[in-house]
């Protein structure tokens, strides 16, 4: 449907803005790197804060770093005003607005990059830049892949961490639990982990004059504390997403009042919100007079506080270094643990834990009144702040800016020796390729292989549902943002692609630079031992994988690829251009993997112009045995969508007696499946045997045409298109005979699944059908309406036996095929006398 004119105008304007932004970024990335420039960013520009601020001030105060120029990325007006007040006259310090052209210029040319969170998706670290990611706290709450929905939510974080030359850990727990495990840096990250403590904690050591400055800054912000002791209430943010936080601000003022009500007049409770909700909090009238401004660094505020009240915020780990009291106010502990989760039991925290704000105030009063420190306080301080001696910043600067690693706690990410595999999975919509790769990832030996899955960042419901089925041991990397490079180069690439004259990946320097830069933008320093394009249909992704640091590479051929290229739908050949480009890149792959031996022979012959014959090999598809078996047991009525009326086919299939025979087919409603032939053949069968029925399960571009064909044949009460169903196995289990009418196929997953369901199978004679199943139980017929009709009649005559599959033996055979492929590739790579990059 054509969009209204205003919507189209907005779309064009948006595209134009993105194009201008891309061109600006490309221009700035073409400029020489300025190795004496340092760019700092904290919390996406919220202020001059956290570890980057501590490092900045240290460098600024040291004469041996007088050659450095300092640039701050800021996007908060109050923070900018504070910055201007302090540094307006400084010749080597300036700020840029995050997202502006000046920002992208600084991000592209600065020799040093220091961030406590993430740079935007378009950022890609250039060769020669040094990137330190400090993060912003030891985690109590689950992070990365450990939190619900963490794979997608953490996509840009993982991308930034992989790009960093250094990641900073406050303690060994953070290095192992967060970086190596939660963000899966183990095995693939090639930068260094610095375990020296947190520079920001150095700033908690306040002189009397510095503390007076804090109180003066509070007064200027409308928070008058005078000489009273400060109790800081610092709750974490709610929710699992920085992009959609649950602020909970309405309750915070009441909680502050409740804590305050239990304290003497010489003590004042102030509120420090998380950076992500500070802008919301500063607009609430109920928080005026108690809200700590964002312009005061958190750790400076901690240094001025006599006690801390918090919940799940990592702020308390820093505060352990002060030795002062901590009280944990956790009114929603059960809900929070269920929704987000924590690494450490809440009942083992180093301070009193309560769900009542007034009780939290009582605990604070007792501890400030001379009560004994909590029994676990010293243990936790030693575990989580072992290096906080006031000299952390100096040691971190030594490593990053002076290159000093002797006597410093610096190490690579740990490796457990597993072979590192990378699979591109495709778009993850429900189809045979998605099913096949999900099953493979479930069957693979994760104790032998460290597996990474590469995908586009999708938001549609169907691919998201499939993404949730990926084995939990698999590291998931998403390509977010777009390729850097000037529009002129991008247009040049597109024009050449449209001509169908794609060269091999390194034929032209500009082409290689585009793709090398994109690999680095997506994967940073990550390294893999073996790389596979499991989809095999998109030249964008095929090109990207060919620009990995050298590793053996394989590409999957799921069909008779030459025939697939010529597939015609509605008078068009939608795959011709893309597959022609992919074919031209086959020479860059070590192996071209078909999914059955017969298919390997067909593709070897048809694609002889694109790859040497010895590169063609076989790894068969795997079914998800448990999913099929459990799906068979599901009642048909459970397949109904919300508010869906029971369709006629379901009523008939549920009520069928022994004299009604159901033929069933499952597959995408597209040209190569040739369901039109199946309907024509079934019309003849039904005319002779009126108690026969046909169910075709699936969706696709030919659905309307097929429904029209059923109607025109007068088969509305006997032949049914069920549409796509999340569990086709319940329908298979209720049917009598499986029928496949395809013109060409790879190794159809549905045949393996039908065999697991114990169904007799009738199939047309596509090229790879003879070895689609172990054994010889498929009743194969010629590719004609009459032959397919006769095959279905043969079933009715009792001449088609049930097919079976020994799932355990078959799975072992297929995983051995994959093991052999990987072993041969990696062995050849490591024994090759030439270890240069091969494209």
């Amino acid at each position: 449907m054509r969009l209204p004119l205003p919507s189209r105008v907005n779309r064009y304007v948006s595209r134009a803005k993105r194009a201008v932004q891309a061109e600006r970024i490309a221009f700035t990335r073409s400029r020489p790197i300025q190795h004496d420039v340092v760019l700092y960013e904290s919390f996406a520009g919220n202020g001059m804060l956290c570890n980057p601020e501590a490092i900045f001030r240290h460098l600024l105060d040291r004469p041996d770093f007088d050659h450095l120029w300092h640039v701050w990325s800021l996007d908060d007006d109050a923070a900018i005003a504070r910055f201007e007040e302090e540094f307006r006259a400084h010749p080597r310090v300036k700020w840029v607005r995050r997202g502006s052209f000046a920002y992208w210029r600084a991000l592209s040319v600065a020799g040093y990059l220091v961030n406590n969170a993430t740079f935007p998706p378009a950022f890609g670290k250039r060769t020669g830049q040094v990137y330190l990611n400090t993060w912003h706290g030891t985690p109590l709450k689950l992070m990365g892949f450990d939190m619900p929905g963490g794979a997608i939510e953490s996509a840009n974080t993982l991308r930034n961490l992989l790009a960093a030359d250094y990641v900073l850990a406050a303690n060994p727990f953070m290095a192992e639990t967060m970086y190596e495990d939660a963000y899966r840096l183990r095995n693939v990250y090639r930068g260094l982990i610095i375990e020296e403590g947190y520079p920001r904690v150095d700033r908690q050591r306040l002189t009397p004059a510095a503390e007076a400055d804090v109180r003066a800054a509070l007064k200027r912000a409308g928070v008058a504390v005078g000489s009273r002791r400060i109790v800081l209430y610092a709750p974490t943010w709610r929710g699992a997403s920085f992009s959609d936080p649950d602020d909970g601000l309405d309750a915070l003022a009441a909680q502050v009042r409740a804590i305050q009500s239990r304290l003497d007049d010489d003590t004042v409770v102030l509120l420090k919100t998380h950076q992500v909700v500070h802008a919301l909090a500063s607009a609430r009238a109920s928080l005026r007079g108690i809200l700590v401004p964002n312009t005061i660094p958190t750790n400076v505020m901690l240094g001025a506080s006599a006690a801390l009240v918090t919940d799940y915020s990592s702020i308390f780990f820093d505060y352990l270094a002060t030795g002062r009291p901590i009280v944990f106010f956790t009114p929603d502990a059960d809900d929070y643990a269920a929704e987000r989760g924590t690494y450490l039991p809440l009942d083992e925290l180093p301070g009193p834990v309560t769900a009542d704000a007034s009780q939290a105030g009582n605990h604070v009063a007792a501890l400030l009144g001379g009560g004994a420190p909590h029994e676990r306080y010293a243990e936790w301080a030693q575990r989580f702040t072992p290096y906080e001696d006031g000299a952390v910043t100096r040691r971190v600067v030594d490593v990053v800016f002076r290159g000093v690693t002797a006597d410093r706690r610096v190490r690579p990410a740990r490796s457990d020796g597993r072979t590192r595999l990378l699979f591109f999975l495709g778009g993850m919509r429900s189809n045979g390729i998605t099913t096949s790769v999900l099953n493979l990832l479930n069957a693979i030996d994760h104790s032998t292989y460290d597996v990474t899955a590469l995908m586009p960042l999708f938001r549609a419901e169907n691919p998201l549902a499939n993404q949730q089925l990926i084995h939990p041991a698999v590291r998931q990397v998403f390509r977010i943002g777009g390729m850097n490079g000037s529009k002129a180069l991008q247009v040049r690439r597109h024009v050449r692609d449209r001509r169908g004259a794609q060269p091999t990946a390194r034929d032209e320097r500009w082409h290689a630079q585009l793709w090398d830069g994109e690999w680095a933008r997506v994967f940073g320093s990550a390294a893999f031992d073996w790389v596979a394009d499991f989809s095999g249909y998109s030249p964008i992704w095929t090109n990207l994988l060919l620009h990995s640091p050298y590793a053996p590479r394989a590409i999957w051929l799921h069909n008779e690829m030459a025939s697939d290229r010529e597939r015609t739908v509605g008078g068009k050949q939608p795959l011709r251009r893309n597959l022609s480009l992919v074919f031209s890149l086959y020479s860059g792959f070590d192996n071209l993997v078909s999914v059955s031996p017969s298919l390997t022979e067909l593709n070897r012959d048809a694609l002889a112009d694109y790859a040497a014959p010895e590169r063609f090999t076989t790894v068969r598809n795997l079914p998800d045995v448990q999913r099929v078996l459990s799906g068979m047991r599901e009642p048909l009525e459970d397949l109904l969508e919300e508010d869906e009326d029971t369709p006629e086919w379901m009523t008939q299939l549920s009520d069928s007696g022994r004299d009604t025979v159901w033929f069933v087919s499952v597959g995408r409603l597209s040209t190569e499946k040739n369901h039109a032939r199946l309907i024509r053949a079934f019309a003849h069968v039904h005319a002779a045997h009126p108690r026969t029925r046909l169910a075709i399960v699936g969706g696709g571009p030919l659905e309307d045409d097929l429904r029209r064909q059923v109607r025109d044949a007068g088969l509305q009460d006997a032949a049914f298109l069920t549409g796509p169903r999340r569990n086709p196995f319940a329908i298979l289990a209720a049917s009598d005979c499986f029928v496949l009418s395809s013109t060409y196929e790879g190794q159809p997953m549905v045949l393996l699944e039908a065999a697991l369901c114990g169904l007799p199978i009738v199939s047309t004679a596509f090229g790879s059908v003879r070895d689609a199943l172990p054994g010889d139980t498929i009743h194969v017929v010629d590719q004609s309406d009459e032959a397919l009709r006769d095959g279905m009649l043969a079933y009715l005559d009792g001449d088609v036996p049930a097919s079976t599959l020994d799932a355990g033996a078959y799975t072992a055979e297929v995983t051995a095929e994959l093991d052999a492929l990987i072993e041969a590739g990696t062995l050849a790579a490591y024994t090759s006398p030439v270890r240069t990059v091969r494209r």
Side-chain angles (χ1 to χ4, degrees), residues 760-806:
I761 299 173
V762 175
S763 176
T764 50
F766 55 86
S768 56
V769 69
R770 299 295 177 183
D771 52 19
L773 280 180
D776 190 25
T777 58
I778 300 176
H779 187 82
V780 181
V781 300
D782 290 340
Q783 295 230 14
S784 69
D785 295 3
E786 295 76 18
L788 188 58
R789 173 203 63 198
D790 292 344
M792 297 165 77
L793 291 173
Y795 167 73
L796 295 174
D797 291 338
D799 296 333
V800 181
S803 292
T804 59
L805 181 67
D806 184 336

Side-chain angles (χ1 to χ4, degrees), residues 82 85 206 209-233 267-273 278 287-307:
R82 170 178 173 255
E85 180 182 345
L206 301 183
E211 183 171 346
D213 288 343
V214 174
R215 292 174 180 270
L218 288 169
K219 184 177 181 180
R220 289 194 299 271
V223 183
V225 298
S227 61
R228 290 178 292 175
R229 292 183 302 185
I230 297 171
V231 173
L232 190 65
Y233 175 36
T267 305
V268 61
V269 180
L270 302 183
L271 174 66
K272 175 65 178 175
T273 59
H278 180 79
L287 300 180
R288 289 174 189 161
I290 60 172
L291 181 66
V292 175
N294 217 25
T295 52
I296 300 178
T298 298
N299 290 82
V300 172
M301 196 66 226
L302 290 176
S305 301

Side-chain angles (χ1 to χ4, degrees), residues 233 249-263 268-271 285-288 290 329 357-359 361:
Y233 175 36
L249 294 175
D250 291 337
L252 292 182
Q255 292 167 356
V256 169
R257 288 194 298 270
I259 298 171
Q260 182 72 68
S261 69
R262 301 308 173 100
L263 302 175
V268 61
V269 180
L270 302 183
L271 174 66
S286 60
L287 300 180
R288 289 174 189 161
I290 60 172
F329 170 46
S358 297
Q359 186 61 33

Side-chain angles (χ1 to χ4, degrees), residues 632 636 653-654 656 660 662 664 728-736 759:
M632 290 171 61
L636 286 174
L653 186 56
S654 299
S656 295
T660 301
W662 279 81
V664 63
F729 312 118
I731 302 174
L732 289 177
S735 301
D736 300 290
L759 288 176

Side-chain angles (χ1 to χ4, degrees), residues 186-338:
R186 189 184 306 271
N187 294 327
V188 298
Y189 175 62
R190 294 196 293 175
L192 294 172
I193 300 174
I194 304 174
E195 290 182 11
E196 281 289 358
Y198 254 14
R200 71 186 190 188
V201 178
D202 288 351
R203 305 211 66 209
Q204 293 174 187
R205 295 169 177 259
L206 301 183
T207 63
E211 183 171 346
D213 288 343
V214 174
R215 292 174 180 270
L218 288 169
K219 184 177 181 180
R220 289 194 299 271
V223 183
V225 298
S227 61
R228 290 178 292 175
R229 292 183 302 185
I230 297 171
V231 173
L232 190 65
Y233 175 36
T236 191
W237 60 288
R238 294 301 191 267
S241 169
F242 279 117
S243 61
D244 185 24
D246 175 7
D247 56 68
L249 294 175
D250 291 337
L252 292 182
Q255 292 167 356
V256 169
R257 288 194 298 270
I259 298 171
Q260 182 72 68
S261 69
R262 301 308 173 100
L263 302 175
D264 294 337
D265 292 340
D266 65 349
T267 305
V268 61
V269 180
L270 302 183
L271 174 66
K272 175 65 178 175
T273 59
H274 191 281
Q275 298 295 330
V276 77
V277 297
H278 180 79
L280 297 171
S282 61
R284 297 291 176 94
S286 60
L287 300 180
R288 289 174 189 161
I290 60 172
L291 181 66
V292 175
N294 217 25
T295 52
I296 300 178
T298 298
N299 290 82
V300 172
M301 196 66 226
L302 290 176
S305 301
L308 173 68
V309 179
T310 188
D311 45 14
Y312 322 101
S313 174
S314 62
I315 196 172
F316 85 85
F317 288 105
D318 290 7
Y319 200 68
L320 287 168
T322 68
R324 301 170 194 162
I326 305 172
V327 173
F328 295 90
F329 170 46
T330 59
D332 56 349
D334 292 340
D335 290 342
Y336 193 87

